[in-house]
Amino acid sequence: MPYNAGTNRKAKYFNQYLKYYFNRYISNYNAYVWDNTITTGTNVISSNGTSKDALITAAIVEYEAYIASWNFTRHASNPLIQSPTTPTNAEAYPPVVFYEGVGDYKMLIKTDVNRTWKYTSADGVSWGSNAVGEWDYTLATPLVLRKEGSTYYAFYGGFNTTPTGKIGYATSTDFTTWTKYASNPIYQVSSYNAATGDDKQNIYLNDIIKISENLYYFFGYASYEDFSNCTLIWGTGTSLTDVNFTHIIDTPADLVYSEVWLQNAQVFKHPTTGKWMMTCTLGTQSTTTADVQCQVAFYSERTDVPEDFVFIPAPIFTVNASNAWETRQVYASFWLKDESGNLITLGGDYAMYYSGHGTTASAYHGVVCLATITTIP
């Protein structure tokens, strides 16, 4: 069997995928004692006499086909935006992209613990450069960029000396001069904990979907103080700034062995079926190990509102060891889409911006990259 051992992303996730696969064919799959090494055998584990080997073989075929269907192409110009040289180890992430219209793309990125830079582009690929301290020297991580009327809204997450992340926003009418909302923070983790019974210490917004003039869906994650044990969350509000989180997106308790980062939910409509989908970053927090973060996907059968997502435990976008800027992580992806979750094409393909990370502190300690895909599975 090809997944008996190994630590690469495909081998690491297959056992979880096998449970997902078995659950669609066997009503009581939890009764089977799982062997994490996926050893073969002749155990009969279904009422119709199907052997374990037969089901594993079929699951492998489906698993490989699903991963291959996410056929991304990395842009030849990667990395699009390099990490700043000052301060040392600064990261360029996340690439919070916003499509203003034909020939007008905008992006916010964090470059260290307290600076956000703004970029503009005419083609979505060439983003120019910016000076240190652009926009607001004391601003923390940008999360979502939207525009209503003539006003830009930049949602961001930040904390003071202790990582207890909160959510705020700033506004601008020219994408140059920004004013922080006087009553920031607009949302704190205590409200989420009270609504769900959770016990997290950090909370961050990752996406906003506008369903109608008075219905907005908010997606994000909550975590412990060290950013571990992330939980994907969502809620609804009546306006763009009415941020609220009241629900947890269901994921397996034993997600994928020791993976603790489940962040950066990006929600969109499937361009063919109109059903809601979501991608996010899954991985660990290692600063020395290669291939520790990737992208995964969730699917929903709903076309009306983005709810009832089902996690597919398989990596859809992983590191490329031949690219020095992404040997360790591909994370913080942002799809090019409109406020209602409709994907926008770039050169005829769907565009996913992401951050890449090398294994050492270097020029590739967090850079902005682009991958495109012709067909969404």
Side-chain angles (χ1 to χ4, degrees):
M1 307 298 284
Y3 298 110
N4 280 3
T7 58
N8 68 72
R9 207 105 322 239
K10 286 173 65 175
K12 193 173 185 180
Y13 289 16
F14 180 68
N15 195 52
Q16 189 72 49
Y17 188 87
L18 196 56
K19 294 182 183 182
Y20 162 77
Y21 182 87
F22 277 23
N23 191 39
R24 287 148 49 203
Y25 295 94
I26 303 171
S27 60
N28 188 26
Y29 75 96
N30 282 320
Y32 178 71
V33 178
W34 290 95
D35 180 352
N36 286 338
T37 62
I38 315 299
T39 55
T40 60
T42 57
N43 307 55
V44 175
I45 54 174
S46 66
S47 58
N48 63 6
T50 303
S51 72
K52 181 175 73 173
D53 278 0
L55 285 174
I56 290 176
T57 299
I60 288 173
V61 172
E62 182 181 276
Y63 185 65
E64 293 278 8
Y66 173 72
I67 293 173
S69 69
W70 284 93
N71 187 24
F72 284 99
T73 299
R74 287 166 165 84
H75 200 277
S77 298
N78 284 343
L80 307 184
I81 301 175
Q82 294 273 14
S83 307
T85 56
T86 303
T88 303
N89 298 344
E91 296 183 66
Y93 85 99
V96 181
V97 66
F98 177 75
Y99 180 72
E100 184 89 13
V102 177
D104 191 357
Y105 302 80
K106 292 179 171 62
M107 185 183 292
L108 301 176
I109 61 172
K110 187 185 84 166
T111 58
D112 60 38
V113 295
N114 61 6
R115 295 176 186 168
T116 293
W117 288 0
K118 65 181 180 61
Y119 287 80
T120 59
S121 173
D123 60 5
V125 175
S126 299
W127 292 89
S129 60
N130 261 317
V132 172
E134 182 68 46
W135 183 11
D136 189 331
Y137 185 84
T138 62
L139 190 62
T141 306
L143 303 174
V144 178
L145 179 60
R146 291 289 184 267
K147 187 177 184 181
E148 290 208 337
S150 59
T151 302
Y152 296 99
Y153 290 80
F155 294 85
Y156 64 93
F159 54 83
N160 194 353
T161 56
T162 301
T164 51
K166 304 173 179 64
I167 300 168
Y169 72 89
T171 58
S172 174
T173 56
D174 59 6
F175 203 63
T176 298
T177 302
W178 294 83
T179 303
K180 292 181 179 179
Y181 180 55
S183 297
N184 280 339
I186 62 171
Y187 196 84
Q188 301 189 53
V189 72
S190 56
S191 297
Y192 157 76
N193 286 338
T196 63
D198 208 343
D199 63 348
K200 298 299 195 296
Q201 288 117 7
N202 284 322
I203 195 161
Y204 286 94
L205 174 69
N206 292 140
D207 205 356
I208 303 174
I209 298 294
K210 182 178 181 180
I211 301 298
S212 65
E213 291 301 320
N214 58 4
L215 180 57
Y216 292 74
Y217 274 70
F218 302 95
F219 296 87
Y221 75 92
S223 72
Y224 291 134
E225 199 169 273
D226 61 356
F227 296 96
S228 66
N229 296 91
C230 297
T231 300
L232 293 181
I233 58 178
W234 66 274
T236 62
T238 59
S239 70
L240 180 64
T241 58
D242 185 24
V243 176
N244 193 32
F245 292 105
T246 53
H247 295 75
I248 295 173
I249 296 174
D250 184 44
T251 53
D254 57 344
L255 191 58
V256 180
Y257 298 130
S258 60
E259 308 286 50
V260 295
W261 260 17
L262 187 61
Q263 305 177 349
N264 209 69
Q266 286 286 288
V267 179
F268 55 93
K269 295 178 181 177
H270 191 283
T272 302
T273 67
K275 296 178 181 179
W276 288 101
M277 296 181 59
M278 177 174 63
T279 61
C280 69
T281 299
L282 176 63
T284 65
Q285 295 174 283
S286 171
T287 58
T288 58
T289 306
D291 190 16
V292 297
Q293 290 184 10
C294 68
Q295 301 301 301
V296 293
F298 293 66
Y299 290 80
S300 172
E301 289 298 312
R302 301 189 65 162
T303 59
D304 52 351
V305 291
E307 299 180 18
D308 303 327
F309 290 100
V310 175
F311 173 57
I312 309 298
I316 66 169
F317 188 71
T318 58
V319 301
N320 185 335
S322 63
N323 294 335
W325 57 84
E326 57 173 80
T327 56
R328 181 155 63 92
Q329 298 172 345
V330 286
Y331 65 114
S333 64
F334 276 77
W335 290 89
L336 190 64
K337 59 190 180 77
D338 65 18
E339 63 181 4
S340 298
N342 299 297
L343 292 176
I344 296 169
T345 57
L346 184 69
D349 293 326
Y350 303 109
M352 183 185 75
Y353 295 88
Y354 67 96
S355 290
H357 207 305
T359 55
T360 59
S362 65
Y364 303 126
H365 191 77
V367 296
V368 175
C369 301
L370 171 64
T372 58
I373 188 169
T374 302
T375 303
I376 304 293

